[in-house]
Amino acid sequence: MQSLPSPVELERLVDTTNRLRAGIESVITGRPELIRTSLAVLLAEGHLLLEDVPGVGKTTLAKAIARSIDAQVGRIQFTPDLLPSDLTGVNIFRAQTHEFEFRPGPVFAHVVIGDEINRASPKTQSALLECMQEAQATVDGRTYPLPRPFLVIATQNPVEMEGTYPLPEAQRDRFMARLTVGYPSVDSELDMLDLQEDTDPFSRMRPVTDAAAIQGFIDIARRLYASPSVKRYIVGLVTASREDAGLRLGASPRASIQLLRAAKSLAAMSGRDHVLPDDVQELAVPVLAHRLLPSTESRLSGRTTQDVVTDIVARTPLPAAEPVARARRALG
């Protein structure tokens, strides 16, 4: 078992994430919790789904995260006529050499921004499944590894809007978290007008860190301690979703793994070397709700999957506190 991260490693992680947050907040005003959760997903090497109506800043947030990291960035504008090969790449025949040459698509980047992902057909959407789960792409029978870290930040409009295709359950399950941007407060929107009245805030953004450093922070976050009681708490939440009468599809085992990894990242950003139940509670709705399917009765009553997860968190007993110091000594 790997040793716990040192105070110096955690201090470096906290300092970098604070500077990342400050840089992103210079573009996205009035949404500190949204940015905090987004960075937790980044440090957990997960994928992020941003859902809301057009114009509230989904793409701006995705671009701000990408701009703050000195890394390869791929941008995909999803449209109904987009083909899977437009994402993963194609083999081109070279007459001079009489050989095929692989031209990688935009998924071959550290940060991939998928704008309006649910405007593409399910066939094209499914081209991302292998990329998101295994960090690789298979084209014409040959598998190519993707850069690490690999993060997909996708935006989507509500499925009720014209020209959208619902994401398949298997693809939604590969997104670590789904966040709703929402409308800003009056004061935040006024700040936004002042900020963007005569300048583009992106012109002032500079990279805070690079891809190699982010990969190092991912490794640090995974070494945090999660007690057996915290793990049982996570499994208890996920199991409750499978047994809830308001759902016809509960959370998968993948959800348990991703909730634990996201909670570790959130704890690391707070400067702790161990996970608290509070970290799990804070992330339960964004990590679990988008994976669930409501029952017919829930839909008719207007009860959302977010409501169900909130109720599950409220009724699931918190684990008893465990002596973290003893665990620290055991792990070194």
Side-chain angles (χ1 to χ4, degrees), residues 250-288:
S252 66
R254 182 186 289 119
S256 302
I257 297 170
Q258 295 196 344
L259 182 53
L260 174 61
R261 288 180 178 174
K264 284 188 173 186
S265 296
L266 201 62
M269 290 169 59
S270 300
R272 282 183 275 108
D273 62 1
H274 59 282
V275 180
L276 296 177
D278 293 352
D279 302 317
V280 178
Q281 287 185 325
E282 183 175 341
L283 292 164
V285 170
V287 172
L288 299 180

Side-chain angles (χ1 to χ4, degrees), residues 301-328:
S301 64
R303 191 168 180 239
T304 66
T305 54
Q306 292 94 319
D307 297 331
V308 175
V309 174
T310 301
D311 292 344
I312 289 173
V313 171
R315 69 172 185 259
T316 302
L318 287 170
E322 293 190 7
V324 177
R326 186 172 61 193
R328 273 200 204 96

Side-chain angles (χ1 to χ4, degrees), residues 50-62 155-157 181:
L50 303 172
E51 180 183 76
D52 219 316
V53 296
V56 294
K58 303 186 299 296
T59 306
T60 302
L61 174 59
T155 71
Q156 73 168 355
N157 298 322
V181 177

Side-chain angles (χ1 to χ4, degrees), residues 63-253:
K63 289 169 59 181
I65 295 172
R67 184 73 65 90
S68 62
I69 303 169
D70 185 11
Q72 295 172 304
V73 179
R75 172 76 182 273
I76 307 166
Q77 181 66 52
F78 284 82
T79 56
D81 59 348
L82 199 71
L83 298 175
S85 58
D86 295 327
L87 277 62
T88 57
V90 295
N91 284 308
I92 299 176
F93 183 73
R94 292 294 185 186
Q96 297 89 340
T97 60
H98 300 283
E99 293 179 347
F100 284 94
E101 176 185 318
F102 178 62
R103 286 287 186 88
V107 296
F108 285 84
H110 293 107
V111 181
V112 177
I113 301 173
D115 205 10
E116 296 186 307
I117 187 173
N118 59 338
R119 290 203 180 277
S121 67
K123 180 180 180 180
T124 302
Q125 293 174 8
S126 65
L128 282 174
L129 290 176
E130 180 187 15
C131 302
M132 295 171 67
Q133 181 63 28
E134 302 171 47
Q136 64 183 31
T138 301
V139 180
D140 294 339
R142 184 173 178 182
T143 300
Y144 301 89
L146 298 175
R148 303 299 288 267
F150 177 69
L151 169 70
V152 174
I153 307 175
T155 71
Q156 73 168 355
N157 298 322
V159 294
E160 297 83 6
M161 301 197 72
E162 185 176 355
T164 60
Y165 301 83
L167 289 181
E169 289 82 359
Q171 186 159 0
R172 289 205 309 272
D173 198 42
R174 281 165 171 78
F175 283 101
M176 179 172 283
R178 179 188 65 183
L179 298 176
T180 300
V181 177
Y183 290 111
S185 65
V186 173
D187 290 339
S188 296
E189 195 159 0
L190 286 171
D191 291 340
M192 190 188 308
L193 293 180
D194 291 337
L195 183 67
Q196 302 188 29
E197 182 176 6
D198 54 3
T199 60
D200 179 7
F202 280 107
S203 64
R204 297 190 297 270
M205 282 199 73
R206 296 292 182 270
V208 171
T209 186
D210 57 23
I214 292 294
Q215 187 62 54
F217 294 144
I218 290 170
D219 296 336
I220 290 172
R222 289 199 176 180
R223 285 159 46 203
L224 262 66
Y225 175 70
S227 68
S229 64
V230 167
K231 292 177 181 178
R232 282 194 295 271
Y233 181 56
I234 291 173
V235 172
L237 294 174
V238 172
T239 302
S241 74
R242 300 168 191 161
E243 300 170 348
D244 195 288
L247 300 171
R248 60 186 178 91
L249 177 66
S252 66

Side-chain angles (χ1 to χ4, degrees), residues 18-69:
N18 284 341
R19 288 188 289 121
L20 283 169
R21 290 168 63 181
I24 297 170
E25 286 175 0
S26 69
V27 177
I28 304 292
T29 58
R31 297 177 176 88
E33 299 83 5
L34 181 73
I35 296 171
R36 173 178 162 87
T37 305
S38 300
L39 292 179
V41 172
L42 171 67
L43 295 188
E45 203 173 16
H47 305 294
L48 184 63
L49 181 62
L50 303 172
E51 180 183 76
D52 219 316
V53 296
V56 294
K58 303 186 299 296
T59 306
T60 302
L61 174 59
K63 289 169 59 181
I65 295 172
R67 184 73 65 90
S68 62
I69 303 169

